[in-house]
Amino acid sequence: MNTGDTAWVLVSAAMVLLMTPGLAFFYGGMTRAKGVLNMMMMSFGAIAVVGVLWVLFGYSASFGTDVGGGLLGNPFEKFGLQGVLDTGEGMPLVGTIPEIAFVGFQAVFAIITVALITGAIADRAKFGAWMVFAAVWVTVVYFPVAHWVFSFTKDANGNPTGGWIGQGLGVIDFAGGTAVHINAGAAALALALILGKRKGFGKDPSHRPHNLPFVMLGAGLLWFGWFGFNAGSALGANAVAGYAWINTLAAPCAAILGWLLVEKLRDGHATSLGAASGAVAGLVAITPACSAITPMWSLALGLLAGAVCALAVGLKYRLGFDDSLDVVGVHLVGGIIGTLFIGLAADPSAPAAGNGLFYGGGLELLGKQSLGAFAVMLYSFTMAYIIGWIINKTMGFRISKEHEIAGIDVAIHAESAYDFGGRVSGSFSPHSETFPTGPSLAEVSHSDQKVEA
Amino acid sequence: MKLITAIIRPEQLDDVRADLESYGVQGLTVSSAHGYGRQRGHTEIYRGAEYTVDLHAKVRIEVLATDEQAYDLMDTIVASSNTGNAGDGKVWMVEVYDAVRVRTGERGVAAI
C-alpha cells in the first residue's frame, strides 16, 4: 500500500462527492424559483439511494468477479462490502491503495451519474417515482455498465476477467465518458420522452433560470470536484494524475471560449449561463480522454465540444422533447465527442498509450470507441425507457397539472425556497402534542406579573 | 379634487418626487408596477433560446390634488420623468368625489 496514493484517492473521492451538491446548485439555478428545492432534492435523493445500494450490492455488481461475458460482477460476492474490510496485513488492494478506498471513490461516480439524469425531468417528476427510478436504473444499468467499462480484474493466472468494453474490447475511457456521461445522457433522453414536456415548454418566458449565480457556483463546484473525478482516476498521486489534471484544466477553458464564441456570433451576447455550460461541456468531453490525448489536443477537443454542445442544446426545440436542463445536449453529446475524439487524437506516448487516427493508428481505435459509446447509449436508453414506462403506468411519474403550475416545491415537499418577508395571513401550529407540554410563555409571564402585584 | 396617477421609469422616481415636494405636495403613494406600452418588452437569451419578456418594471405614483393644482402637478411629473426615450410612461388624472383623513376625519380638500 502507498499512503500518498491512498491519501490522494480519498481526497479525490470527497471532491467527487461535492460534485453532486454542486450539480444541485447548477441545475437548481436553472429552474424556476418554485421548483428549485425539488431540483436539488432529486440530487440529494440520488446520493442517499445510490449510497445505500452501493454498500449493499452495487460495488460487488460493478467490481465483483465477472459472472460471464464481461457483463456483470457477482452482486453477492462482496455483498455488504464483505471481503474488502480487512485493514490489517491481509487487506485487499487495488493497485497501491486499499480496496475499501477504491470502493468509496467509485461510489461517488455512481451517485453523480444518477443525479445527472435529473436535469431532464425538472419541475414535473414525482419525487417518490424518481427515487424508485434511481434505485432500479442504477441497479440494472449503472452497475453493469460500470463493470463493462471500469472492471479490469484478472483471475489467479493473470487472465483478464473484467468488463467487455474496457478490458475485452480495449475502449479507452479513463474516467467515465461512456459509463457516466453517455450513460446518464441516454437515460435522460428516455425520461424526457416518458414524462413529456413541461406546461409552457418553448413558449412560457417564466421558464427562464431563476438564479444564474447558483448556476455559476454549481459549475465552479463541479469543476473543482472534476479534478478529483479525472485526476483521481489515476488511483495514485503520480504523473498520470498530473496529466489528467492539466487536461481537466485545458479542455473546459477552451470549451468556455467555444461556447461563448457560438453565442456571440449567433445571438450577439456571450452569456453567463453559456460560460457555465461551456465549462461543463468541456469537462464532460475530456473525461474519457484525459489520459489519452496531449494538452494541446485537449484545447482542440474543448473548443470543439464547447461549440458543438452550444449548438446541440437548441435541438430539443426542433425535435420537440423537453430535456429541460440540457442533459442530452451537454452530457450525451459531449460524452460522445470526447469518446470518439480519442479514436482520432490518442497519442501513443500519453499514459493511456492509445493509437489514434492522427498518429497512424488507422480506424481501429475509432471503431472501438464508437462501439463502446453506442452500446452504452443504446442499452441505457432502452432500459431507462422501459423502467420509466413501467413506473409511469403503475405509480405515475408526473405530478398533476395543478401542482406543476402552482409549483412542485410546495406540492411535493411542502416547502418554498424563498421567503421575502411579505405580508402573510394564516396560522402557525407547532407540533407541540409530540413534546412534553408545560405552561405557555404567555401563562408564565402572566403568573410572574401576579407575583409582582 | 383629482387623483393623478403616473406610471414612470423607476430611475426617475427621485427626480419626480423632489420636484413634487418643491411644488408643495404633502404626500404621495408609490408602488411597484409591471407593464408595457408601445415599445413592448425586452429579450433575454439562455442557451440560444430567446425569451421575450413583455412586462417592464415600472413605478406607479398616485397623488391627490386640488382642482387648481392638478394640471400643474401633471406638468411637473411629465417634465421630471421625461427622458425622451420610449418607455417613459404615462400620466393621467381622474375625478375624486371625496377623501377622508383617517386620523382627524377631515373631508374633501382639507384631507389632501
Side-chain angles (χ1 to χ4, degrees), chain A residues 30 205 208-209 266-267 277 325-326, chain B residues 44-49 51-53:
Chain A
M30 274 191 275
R208 292 171 296 162
R266 182 183 59 191
D267 312 320
S277 310
L325 311 179
D326 297 313
Chain B
E44 297 180 21
I45 299 165
Y46 298 98
R47 281 184 169 160
Y51 295 75
T52 301
V53 182

Side-chain angles (χ1 to χ4, degrees), chain A residues 86-258:
Chain A
D86 189 344
T87 56
E89 287 298 313
M91 78 169 106
L93 298 177
V94 171
T96 58
I97 66 170
E99 187 171 0
I100 192 69
F102 181 72
V103 171
F105 183 65
Q106 286 295 338
V108 287
F109 278 61
I111 287 168
I112 183 83
T113 306
V114 174
L116 284 172
I117 301 169
T118 62
I121 57 173
D123 289 349
R124 61 199 190 282
K126 286 181 185 171
F127 185 67
W130 161 248
M131 294 292 270
V132 171
F133 178 86
V136 177
W137 185 85
V138 80
T139 300
V140 302
V141 180
Y142 183 81
F143 296 155
V145 170
H147 181 75
W148 300 356
V149 177
F150 294 139
S151 178
F152 286 84
T153 49
K154 295 180 170 64
D155 65 13
N157 300 320
N159 298 315
T161 60
W164 74 273
I165 288 181
Q167 201 173 42
L169 198 59
V171 169
I172 297 172
D173 184 357
F174 189 66
T178 53
V180 175
H181 298 290
I182 293 175
N183 205 358
L189 178 59
L191 282 198
L193 295 175
I194 292 285
L195 268 83
K197 302 171 198 171
R198 286 167 294 170
K199 300 292 171 201
F201 169 70
K203 288 180 283 212
D204 185 351
S206 77
H207 282 207
R208 292 171 296 162
H210 90 286
N211 191 330
L212 286 171
F214 270 11
V215 176
M216 303 197 83
L217 170 68
L221 290 173
L222 279 167
W223 200 340
F224 173 77
W226 226 299
F227 285 113
F229 197 92
N230 286 354
S233 291
L235 299 181
N238 52 35
V240 179
Y243 202 97
W245 200 103
I246 286 297
N247 280 337
T248 307
L249 175 74
C253 289
I256 293 175
L257 299 178

Side-chain angles (χ1 to χ4, degrees), chain A residues 64-433:
Chain A
T65 302
D66 191 84
V67 291
L71 292 173
L72 186 67
N74 182 350
F76 306 108
E77 182 190 7
K78 297 175 181 178
F79 189 91
L81 302 183
Q82 61 187 336
V84 302
L85 297 173
D86 189 344
T87 56
E89 287 298 313
M91 78 169 106
L93 298 177
V94 171
T96 58
I97 66 170
E99 187 171 0
I100 192 69
F102 181 72
V103 171
F105 183 65
Q106 286 295 338
V108 287
F109 278 61
I111 287 168
I112 183 83
T113 306
V114 174
L116 284 172
I117 301 169
T118 62
I121 57 173
D123 289 349
R124 61 199 190 282
K126 286 181 185 171
F127 185 67
W130 161 248
M131 294 292 270
V132 171
F133 178 86
V136 177
W137 185 85
V138 80
T139 300
V140 302
V141 180
Y142 183 81
F143 296 155
V145 170
H147 181 75
W148 300 356
V149 177
F150 294 139
S151 178
F152 286 84
T153 49
K154 295 180 170 64
D155 65 13
N157 300 320
N159 298 315
T161 60
W164 74 273
I165 288 181
Q167 201 173 42
L169 198 59
V171 169
I172 297 172
D173 184 357
F174 189 66
T178 53
V180 175
H181 298 290
I182 293 175
N183 205 358
L189 178 59
L191 282 198
L193 295 175
I194 292 285
L195 268 83
K197 302 171 198 171
R198 286 167 294 170
K199 300 292 171 201
F201 169 70
K203 288 180 283 212
D204 185 351
S206 77
H207 282 207
R208 292 171 296 162
H210 90 286
N211 191 330
L212 286 171
F214 270 11
V215 176
M216 303 197 83
L217 170 68
L221 290 173
L222 279 167
W223 200 340
F224 173 77
W226 226 299
F227 285 113
F229 197 92
N230 286 354
S233 291
L235 299 181
N238 52 35
V240 179
Y243 202 97
W245 200 103
I246 286 297
N247 280 337
T248 307
L249 175 74
C253 289
I256 293 175
L257 299 178
W259 192 299
L260 294 182
L261 192 64
V262 167
E263 284 194 330
K264 183 66 184 170
L265 294 174
R266 182 183 59 191
D267 312 320
H269 300 275
T271 69
S272 60
L273 181 59
S277 310
V280 174
L283 287 160
V284 168
I286 197 60
T287 293
C290 57
S291 75
I293 65 174
T294 63
M296 286 296 284
W297 279 117
S298 285
L299 295 177
L301 172 59
L303 201 63
L304 178 73
V308 173
C309 289
L311 295 167
V313 294
L315 286 176
K316 63 183 180 182
Y317 298 109
R318 294 189 184 197
L319 301 176
F321 62 90
D322 186 2
D323 169 26
S324 313
L325 311 179
D326 297 313
V327 192
V328 178
V330 174
H331 292 274
L332 181 59
V333 173
I336 289 173
I337 292 171
T339 301
L340 298 187
F341 198 80
I342 295 168
L344 302 175
D347 184 336
S349 67
N355 205 354
L357 184 65
F358 301 158
Y359 289 85
L363 293 171
E364 187 189 351
L365 184 57
L366 186 61
K368 289 178 183 176
Q369 297 295 117
S370 306
L371 185 58
F374 288 104
V376 171
M377 185 170 70
L378 194 65
Y379 180 69
S380 178
F381 178 84
T382 307
M383 295 307 293
Y385 197 92
I386 293 169
I387 300 162
W389 187 86
I390 292 172
I391 290 174
N392 202 29
K393 289 293 175 192
T394 50
M395 65 189 294
F397 217 138
R398 188 161 171 159
I399 61 172
S400 70
K401 180 183 172 187
E402 291 74 17
H403 284 165
E404 189 181 328
I405 291 169
I408 193 170
D409 285 354
V410 172
I412 297 293
H413 304 290
E415 293 175 297
S416 44
Y418 305 102
D419 182 346
F420 295 109
R423 194 174 67 87
V424 175
S425 165
S427 62
F428 169 64
S429 321
H431 292 182
S432 56
E433 64 276 13

